[in-house]
Amino acid sequence: MSFFRKYLIPGFIFQSVVIGGGYATGRELIEFFFSSGPIGGVLGLLTSGLIMGVVLAAAFEFARVHRAYDYRQFCKDLLGRYWVIYEIAFLLLLMLILSVIASAAGELIHASLGLPVIVGTLALMMLIGLLTYFGAEAIKGVLTAWSLLLYALYAALFGLTFYYMGDSVAQSYQEATIGSTWASAGLLYSGYNLAVLPAVLFAVKDQKSRQESIGAGVIAGVLVVIPAILFFVSMMSMYPDIENSPVPSVVLINALQIPILSAVFQIVIFGTFVETGAALLHSVNDRIESSAREFGVTLPKNFRPVIALFLLTLAVVLGTNFGLVELIAKGYNALTLVFILVLIVPLLTIGVWRVKRASPQI
């Protein structure tokens, strides 16, 4: 149980944060890796997993050494007075992600049950508010359990795809050439996902040694990329036509013609929206509480879901009425570059140096 808590839970939490929206539908995998072809896509995902594992290992150890488990303290310790650059970028990203998952949840409920879009959005908000009220331990438990369910689902999808359409997958790989962009795609995809790294630091408070921190980080890189590889290879059963699908997962599942799989997949996908929103908003609550403690103020427990629901509502309003989310999305490549420059590069240079200086013994 100690191994599971220290080495595996951080990876499951990180995977839960990054999987909402595009990852779960397969659209992100198409956007980043499709141009590299069937083989190049897998190589790109392996590259991305390697980079994420290295960066997460450095981040978890930095957080352990500095006892910095909320993103504000973590970035202040890492970036000094420039930490506010990360926070501005993070808040922009937060609005984008919350708006996307709120909209996607509404559309999913409408498409599957025929209910108004607002029903799915309100259900998402209620579940996220409930999780943030119960705090870190509840979020860890729910996100870990849902991640295990997600792994089972992707494994089933992979197995069923090979059972029914294995010849198509084999043909795609036999005829494939390796695109030249797989390495850069892996780098960009890792930067895209590592932007939310400080939001999962609440999951590594149990680490007591460098071995545990680094081990948990490396394992997290593996855990986050395994479902993506299974999903990507499964989609190659419909290569190259699946490229033009707005929701590749639906196309693939419909092709398998297994109604129960479709129903389960929709439930699990809705759960990933809850996972992503709850973890991100929990990190914001931790950041606010950290600031309050500096002024000697203890915030009531009821404050957590209020903040979560306020930010969710704000994201929906901004995305629906003011086009802010569309503006952020258009500039997301630039935003990703900001995260690479202000988080990943300092972490692998200044961060590693400070960890060695503070704790020279491995």
Side-chain angles (χ1 to χ4, degrees):
M1 190 63 181
S2 177
F3 177 87
F4 185 83
R5 188 174 184 85
K6 291 182 178 181
Y7 287 95
L8 297 182
I9 284 183
F12 287 134
I13 299 297
F14 181 68
Q15 189 240 13
S16 296
V17 174
V18 303
I19 199 168
Y23 180 146
T25 64
R27 194 62 237 169
E28 276 181 13
L29 301 181
I30 295 291
E31 294 292 340
F32 278 89
F33 300 107
F34 201 82
S35 63
S36 300
I39 298 174
V42 173
L43 291 175
L45 283 165
L46 289 172
T47 300
S48 184
L50 176 63
I51 294 171
M52 285 192 279
V54 171
V55 175
L56 287 166
F60 291 171
E61 176 62 2
F62 186 89
R64 183 189 71 85
V65 169
H66 293 270
R67 312 302 297 172
Y69 298 115
D70 69 82
Y71 79 78
R72 173 178 175 267
Q73 190 60 52
F74 180 90
C75 290
K76 285 183 73 173
D77 288 342
L78 178 63
L79 302 172
R81 65 177 180 272
Y82 300 107
W83 73 274
V84 70
I85 298 174
Y86 173 84
E87 177 149 68
I88 292 171
F90 177 77
L91 291 175
L92 290 173
L93 178 65
L94 181 70
M95 289 296 103
L96 174 61
I97 293 174
L98 293 180
S99 178
V100 168
I101 64 173
S103 174
E107 293 295 339
L108 180 64
I109 293 297
H110 175 69
S112 58
L113 301 177
L115 296 173
V117 171
I118 188 64
V119 173
T121 301
L122 290 176
L124 178 83
M125 295 172 73
M126 180 187 68
L127 290 170
I128 289 176
L130 191 64
L131 273 178
T132 54
Y133 173 78
F134 286 109
E137 290 305 312
I139 292 173
K140 281 185 192 178
V142 171
L143 267 60
T144 300
W146 207 261
S147 288
L148 292 172
L149 177 61
L150 190 76
Y151 263 81
L153 178 63
Y154 276 117
L157 180 63
F158 180 78
L160 289 167
T161 299
F162 266 82
Y163 182 78
Y164 288 105
M165 298 186 289
D167 291 343
S168 298
V169 176
Q171 183 178 355
S172 294
Y173 278 91
Q174 287 169 0
E175 298 175 353
T177 58
I178 302 176
S180 60
T181 60
W182 61 267
S184 60
L187 174 62
L188 288 174
Y189 191 62
S190 61
Y192 170 86
N193 284 303
L194 286 167
V196 298
L197 184 163
V200 304
L201 295 175
F202 70 93
V204 298
K205 292 183 179 180
D206 292 323
Q207 269 69 38
K208 305 299 182 185
S209 69
R210 181 168 296 180
Q211 176 182 331
E212 292 173 356
S213 298
I214 294 176
V218 171
I219 290 172
V222 174
L223 290 177
V224 78
V225 81
I226 286 175
I229 292 175
L230 294 177
F231 198 5
F232 183 83
V233 173
S234 298
M235 288 192 292
M236 292 304 101
S237 63
M238 305 184 72
Y239 178 83
D241 296 338
I242 200 169
E243 177 183 12
N244 298 318
S245 170
V247 187
S249 60
V250 172
V251 174
L252 178 59
I253 290 173
N254 287 343
L256 292 172
Q257 297 182 337
I258 305 175
I260 186 64
L261 179 65
S262 177
V264 171
F265 195 85
Q266 291 181 44
I267 293 170
V268 173
I269 293 303
F270 188 89
T272 66
F273 300 151
V274 177
E275 286 184 305
T276 298
L280 289 173
L281 289 167
H282 176 74
S283 73
V284 175
N285 276 322
D286 276 356
R287 180 259 186 269
I288 294 173
E289 289 185 346
S290 173
S291 297
R293 283 194 297 269
E294 291 183 1
F295 293 95
V297 176
T298 301
L299 298 176
K301 190 175 182 180
N302 292 340
F303 184 82
R304 301 181 72 85
V306 170
I307 289 296
L309 293 175
F310 169 76
L311 289 174
L312 269 167
T313 303
L314 179 62
V316 172
V317 170
L318 291 174
T320 303
N321 298 317
F322 297 99
L324 178 62
V325 169
E326 183 180 355
L327 180 63
I328 297 170
K330 286 181 178 178
Y332 195 74
N333 285 338
L335 198 58
T336 300
L337 182 60
V338 169
F339 286 119
I340 291 174
L341 293 176
V342 304
L343 179 65
I344 297 174
V345 172
L347 185 58
L348 294 180
T349 53
I350 299 170
V352 171
W353 175 71
R354 287 181 179 170
V355 164
K356 285 188 173 182
R357 186 180 66 173
S359 179
Q361 299 298 320
I362 296 179

